[in-house]
Amino acid sequence: MDQPHTIDYRVLVDNLTTAILLVDSKLNIFYLNSSCESLFDMSLLRANGQPVLNLLHMPNDEFNTEEALFNTLATGQPYTRREATINVNFKDIHVDYTVSQLNAGKPYHPLLLIELNPIDRMLKISKEENLIQQHQVARQLIRGVAHEIKNPLGGIRGATQLLARSLNNPEYSEFTDIIISEVDRLRNLADTMLGSRQLPSYEPVNVHEPLERVRSLIANQTKKKIKITRDYDLSLPEVKADRDQLIQVMLNISVNAVQAMMENKDFFTEHQPELVLRTRIQRLVTINGVLNRSAVRVDIEDNGPGVPEEILESVFYPLVTGRAKGTGLGLSIAQNIMHQHNGMIECQSIPGKTVFSLYLPWESNHVAK
Ligand SMILES: Nc1ncnc2c1ncn2[C@@H]1O[C@H](COP(=O)(O)OP(=O)(O)OP(=O)(O)O)[C@@H](O)[C@H]1O
Ligand SMILES: [Mg+2]
């Protein structure tokens, strides 16, 4: 006869998509499940003992969260708040949450059970899908334009060389040299716009490998003017990826960070420019409309002045740039490569803290479409 399944309730609670928090009678957190860790981007270890009001209550909130929580503790009367705003890592997110008393056999020390449902997720998915579509249209347009620019360049270059030879006069060669070097510059630009022509070759990659390559390239280039901090989770699983393309993605993002820090030296009067390379496992992450149980996350963070506010929303679009000499292609190419890997890049930025996060699914662990 089959044995009835025995259930480890902790596993069950950790697999719920609802975020759950347990709070003691002093309103300090003492447990959060995996969904909640990922909602607040905070591990149980870090959250343990912290006042829950730090997470749930906003300074400008008219609702008296503290009083409501103590009231449920004392009376056992549950309550629900809809569309409450909470702030996670500088980003406002909206949640519905329910607070109820949990009397786990100790009548003198009741606990609070808080169940949170982020309501931005659905909004965010449709926004992301929209963005991806617009992005693809823009990329096709760019490739079309690049192709058309590139076609006549070969002819112009060849004709200029012939002209230079037949003129055979050093006085004019200055002009023909200018034409040739400008044509070469345009051709390089068009090549970058067209993106890599090589087909990606996917193999198991430990993300720390390309990341370390990028770190040493940047360290050499900046010659210790920028502090580079590593914060790696070495237990990360391998992902299926094209190693060279991952290097390109990480390099494009790191070079941007370095440029933002080096070109704005007056921003650093009291602190040192710093690049942080961080790797983590991210639970429950929606990538391109698919909810993944977990993904590998690589953060490239800098403490520079931040992405200019007027381009923050469109920063991944081709030709969007905040720099006088920028072409605005680096991030668009990087995002494109990540899409080909079923991954994505996200950006959060305020002055003093800019984080570009790469997400790569590491197995087919989609839980919903
Ligand atoms: N870490 C960062 N800090 C501040 N601004 C940034 C950062 N990363 C990107 N940006 C802004 O985003 C813009 C777009 O970046 P992107 O890499 O796509 O193009 P670019 O760097 O201007 O040109 P290219 O990479 O093609 O040479 C940059 O010009 C810059 O204004
Ligand atoms: Mg760039």
Side-chain angles (χ1 to χ4, degrees), residues 252-253 256-257 259-260 302 305-308 311 315 317 320-323 325-332 349 354 356:
N252 286 5
I253 293 174
N256 281 347
Q259 285 166 341
D302 69 78
V307 177
I311 62 166
V315 77
Y317 281 30
V320 170
T321 180
R323 296 189 304 118
K325 288 193 182 146
T327 53
L329 289 175
L331 287 177
S332 145
S349 180
T354 298
F356 281 84

Side-chain angles (χ1 to χ4, degrees), residues 193-303:
M193 286 161 91
L194 282 167
S196 165
R197 264 162 298 167
Q198 272 183 352
L199 280 177
S201 83
Y202 295 102
E203 53 190 335
V205 177
N206 177 337
V207 290
H208 298 107
E209 250 180 79
L211 201 54
E212 277 294 285
R213 274 280 293 284
V214 170
R215 188 188 62 85
S216 65
L217 282 170
I218 296 285
N220 273 332
Q221 197 191 343
T222 57
K223 302 206 176 55
K224 303 210 170 127
K225 280 186 211 124
I226 286 179
K227 181 176 168 204
I228 305 182
T229 305
R230 285 180 280 182
D231 176 6
Y232 294 166
D233 175 351
L234 292 173
S235 68
L236 287 189
E238 292 182 323
V239 291
K240 249 190 154 179
D242 182 304
R243 185 180 277 102
D244 290 343
Q245 291 198 339
L246 280 193
I247 292 178
Q248 190 182 358
V249 170
M250 293 167 181
L251 199 58
N252 286 5
I253 293 174
S254 309
V255 166
N256 281 347
V258 168
Q259 285 166 341
M261 291 190 282
M262 304 287 264
E263 288 168 14
N264 294 281
K265 290 213 179 75
D266 40 337
F267 185 77
F268 298 97
T269 45
E270 276 159 26
H271 57 295
Q272 200 198 348
E274 182 179 11
L275 188 72
V276 183
L277 306 175
R278 186 182 305 110
T279 59
R280 289 286 183 276
I281 273 282
Q282 173 80 38
R283 287 179 199 272
L284 293 174
V285 53
T286 305
I287 306 176
N288 306 339
V290 178
L291 181 61
N292 291 260
R293 257 190 224 296
S294 61
V296 166
R297 188 182 97 209
V298 178
D299 290 342
I300 298 175
E301 179 179 324
D302 69 78
N303 59 354

Side-chain angles (χ1 to χ4, degrees), residues 178-202:
I178 290 177
I179 300 179
I180 290 175
S181 73
E182 287 300 291
V183 162
D184 287 346
R185 201 172 61 83
L186 259 183
R187 197 172 49 183
N188 285 340
L189 177 65
D191 277 339
T192 323
M193 286 161 91
L194 282 167
S196 165
R197 264 162 298 167
Q198 272 183 352
L199 280 177
S201 83
Y202 295 102

